[in-house]
Amino acid sequence: MHDDDLLAQATQWLAEDPDPDTRAELQALLDAGDHPELKARFTGTLQFGTAGLRGELGAGPMRMNRSVVIRAAAGLAAYLKAQGHEDGLVVIGYDARHKSADFARDTAAVMTGAGLRAALLPRPLPTPVLAFAIRYLGAVAGVEVTASHNPPRDNGYKVYLGDGSQIVPPADADIAARIDAVRTLHDVPRPENGWQTLDDTTLDAYLARTDAVLAPGSPRTARTVHTAMHGVGTDVLLAAFARAGFPEPALVAEQADPDPDFPTVAFPNPEEPGAMDLAFAKARETDPDLIIANDPDADRCAVAVKSGADWRMLRGDEVGALLAAHLVARGAHGTFAESIVSSSLLGRIAAAAGLPHVETLTGFKWIARAEGLRYGYEEALGYCVDPDGVRDKDGITAALLVTELASALKERGRTLLDLLDDLAVEHGLHATDQLSVRVEDLSVIADAMHRLREQPPRSLADLPVTHAEDLTKGTETLPPTDGLRYTLDGARVIVRPSGTEPKLKCYLEVVVPVEDHASLPTAHAKATDLLTALKRDLSRAAGI
């Protein structure tokens, strides 16, 4: 882009920008003649895809700001009206990140100006409350303003349709086209009022629904430590636990209240190194039965348990298997679904119980659409345990269910780790790990994917690759996606770019047969060695 064009575009954006904060920011860049920074913000636009929008806060079309959100809302409104929802209800939720409340109000104003009805949740609340509210209120769509577990500088915009699940193609492309058709913000009516701000009735209905995930009369004795990771989960989780009759969780006080700066963590994601340190410290003080962690919008649930003298995080695949085994033991019926990057152990558990099992593309927008869904999970700490109530991952109800399981095991003098051992003996030890590379330059990811496609590995960890699939071509059961899948003798590897972060993610699984409980230590050691070798060899093959 020529400098004159760049300055003209930035000046036009400045004239329309409704936010004094980003106006001042952009004016300062123009005054300083900071062309590299202006180019970074004005070369292209944030792309609206199946994750909606997500990006760094700031001025310009390549950042998250009120101008971008107003355009996105106008595109969504035009799409809904074209679908015949001229006066349909759109319900809007938001987290406690910087600008979330502003983005939510702007969305309500745009929907109202377009002739739709809009309803705002009463305050920052967990994403699953919004997903519940869509179906509970009979809305035609829902919007959640959140960047989930991204860094503090980010925010995002997640769109659901009337079935309560996130958008998938072709709706995303249709909405994106209508966003692109917005020529100027002056064409978007934004009244000062006319939408509804909901009271707590919808939240109360959600909390009443959380009881449905527990078995009547089940043990409720497990003691927990909880961290909300500076997000919005504390009050709703405490209310759900109180309703259920569990002991009140001991809170990680430093992380219990919403704080958009996330001061105690580098990344507000329980999976990131150091994020759980304060929770572990609290557990050493209080000696609970388990630790529960939610991410900032509380749609994910992490679990940590006492292992030897200290505490360790369970992997998402381990929690996924534990919840599945618990539901099977309770006599659950219906389809068990998971993403292709999650452990194949779920399929073994479902098969042994005579239940349908489905693999989908990554993301709950796909898992939630499994026919006859009873339970769905993905390895990134997402669990759907009550699809009739929330057709998305829900960190609150998942926390209730895993605490019920821990209580039932505690009554028998057993732990979650004991049940994992039982599953390994019955189905083989399914050990998973991830090689995740965060990049500043997205071309690093593109280069790695190109290299793997041009020179696919013939073996990894001395295991022959028996089948290599380029998922961009789709399969008999999966639509196309940017990913590679390698099946090995006793292992599986999937490589894909992250859909929400600048990361290349490689998902590794090894399956080691286990004869009996006595042979578990040997199986674990073998699995650890294999995963280490897979990481090493895959890094070399991808050039990362």
Side-chain angles (χ1 to χ4, degrees):
M1 184 185 298
H2 293 298
D3 286 352
D4 289 346
D5 294 336
L6 180 65
L7 292 174
Q9 188 177 345
T11 301
Q12 181 181 349
W13 187 275
L14 180 65
E16 291 186 10
D17 191 339
D19 189 334
D21 294 336
T22 45
R23 276 205 314 273
E25 178 187 321
L26 183 52
Q27 186 65 61
L29 292 174
L30 287 166
D31 292 344
D34 192 341
H35 287 227
E37 185 61 27
L38 288 169
K39 191 171 183 180
R41 292 161 182 258
F42 283 89
T43 304
T45 60
L46 276 185
Q47 290 303 298
F48 187 93
T50 49
L53 293 167
R54 195 174 293 187
E56 186 175 346
L57 290 161
M62 287 295 289
R63 298 288 186 266
M64 282 296 297
N65 51 65
R66 290 182 60 196
S67 296
V68 165
V69 165
I70 290 166
R71 283 178 164 82
L76 174 60
Y79 169 82
L80 293 172
K81 292 173 75 172
Q83 297 295 309
H85 303 305
E86 287 85 356
D87 62 348
L89 173 67
V90 179
V91 61
I92 303 150
Y94 56 102
D95 66 12
R97 284 178 178 265
H98 293 296
K99 298 291 181 182
S100 285
D102 293 337
F103 295 167
R105 280 193 297 270
D106 282 331
T107 301
V110 171
M111 295 301 160
T112 303
L116 294 150
R117 293 176 292 126
L120 276 174
L121 291 182
R123 57 186 172 279
L125 287 168
T127 293
V129 177
L130 180 276
F132 168 83
I134 294 165
R135 301 175 80 186
Y136 176 71
L137 297 172
V140 299
V143 171
E144 177 69 18
V145 180
T146 181
S148 189
H149 56 276
N150 276 39
R153 65 179 181 271
D154 290 357
N155 212 328
Y157 198 81
K158 187 183 292 188
V159 176
Y160 298 75
L161 295 181
D163 63 354
S165 57
Q166 298 173 49
I167 56 168
V168 295
D172 58 337
D174 198 344
I175 295 169
R178 294 174 188 277
I179 294 170
D180 292 341
V182 178
R183 293 181 298 115
T184 168
L185 294 191
H186 300 310
D187 294 340
V188 182
R190 285 180 290 131
E192 294 292 322
N193 51 50
W195 56 88
Q196 178 185 9
T197 298
L198 298 168
D199 59 19
D200 278 351
T201 303
T202 300
L203 174 60
D204 292 342
Y206 167 81
L207 286 168
R209 178 79 204 185
T210 61
D211 297 348
V213 307
L214 303 175
S218 62
R220 312 279 169 94
T221 57
R223 296 170 51 251
T224 57
V225 159
H226 177 256
T227 174
M229 209 66 66
H230 297 297
V232 298
T234 297
D235 290 347
V236 176
L237 182 129
L238 288 178
F241 270 56
R243 286 182 62 97
F246 287 112
E248 182 176 350
L251 300 181
V252 178
E254 302 94 327
Q255 298 174 335
D257 296 329
D259 188 331
D261 294 318
F262 306 104
T264 69
V265 291
F267 289 95
N269 179 354
E271 295 179 295
E272 293 284 346
M276 293 290 287
D277 287 355
L278 289 172
F280 291 159
K282 186 70 175 180
R284 294 181 195 114
E285 288 175 22
T286 58
D287 194 31
D289 297 297
L290 70 165
I291 299 171
I292 299 290
N294 292 124
D295 68 337
D297 68 327
D299 63 350
R300 287 173 170 83
C301 175
V303 179
V305 295
K306 192 77 171 287
S307 179
D310 210 351
W311 290 81
R312 82 161 176 96
M313 274 268 291
L314 295 180
R315 300 193 66 83
D317 285 317
E318 292 176 311
V319 178
L322 288 168
L323 292 177
H326 184 43
L327 289 170
V328 166
R330 280 180 28 184
H333 293 284
T335 299
F336 279 28
E338 62 181 325
S339 62
I340 58 172
V341 300
S342 303
S343 173
S344 59
L345 177 55
L346 184 68
R348 303 272 185 100
I349 293 170
L355 296 175
H357 170 252
V358 173
E359 283 189 322
T360 75
L361 293 184
T362 308
F364 263 84
K365 58 184 175 283
W366 299 108
I367 294 171
R369 286 175 162 75
E371 186 175 347
L373 181 66
R374 174 58 185 89
Y375 168 65
Y377 98 93
E378 63 180 358
E379 52 73 44
L381 310 182
Y383 314 95
C384 175
V385 301
D386 178 26
D388 290 340
V390 175
R391 215 157 186 83
D392 197 8
K393 54 187 176 291
D394 183 346
I396 304 298
T397 50
L400 288 170
L401 193 63
V402 77
T403 307
E404 177 186 61
L405 172 58
S407 298
L409 291 167
K410 182 180 180 180
E411 298 288 296
R412 306 200 303 270
R414 307 186 77 236
T415 67
L416 296 176
L417 293 179
D418 292 330
L419 180 53
L420 283 173
D421 286 347
D422 292 348
L423 292 172
V425 172
E426 183 176 358
H427 303 292
L429 175 62
H430 290 63
T432 58
D433 203 351
Q434 190 178 129
L435 173 63
S436 183
V437 182
R438 184 181 291 272
V439 301
E440 294 293 330
D441 181 359
L442 290 176
S443 69
V444 173
I445 295 176
D447 290 345
M449 295 297 289
H450 178 75
R451 179 169 174 164
L452 288 170
R453 286 190 170 104
E454 292 296 308
Q455 303 172 9
R458 295 182 179 179
S459 68
L460 296 167
D462 293 328
L463 301 173
V465 175
T466 59
H467 191 45
E469 297 169 278
D470 186 343
L471 299 176
T472 55
K473 301 170 184 176
T475 72
E476 289 184 5
T477 57
L478 299 171
T481 188
D482 186 7
L484 300 165
R485 178 163 61 182
Y486 303 111
T487 303
L488 302 93
D489 187 11
R492 183 214 64 198
V493 173
I494 294 176
V495 184
R496 59 178 282 271
S498 170
T500 56
E501 298 177 272
K503 282 183 175 182
L504 181 68
K505 304 182 90 169
C506 311
Y507 304 85
L508 320 173
E509 179 179 43
V510 299
V511 182
V512 179
V514 181
E515 290 186 10
D516 51 34
H517 282 78
S519 59
L520 276 168
T522 302
H524 278 286
K526 181 178 180 181
T528 298
D529 290 344
L530 282 171
L531 288 169
T532 300
L534 280 175
K535 276 188 178 182
R536 178 198 65 219
D537 292 356
L538 187 61
S539 294
R540 289 174 181 165
I544 55 176

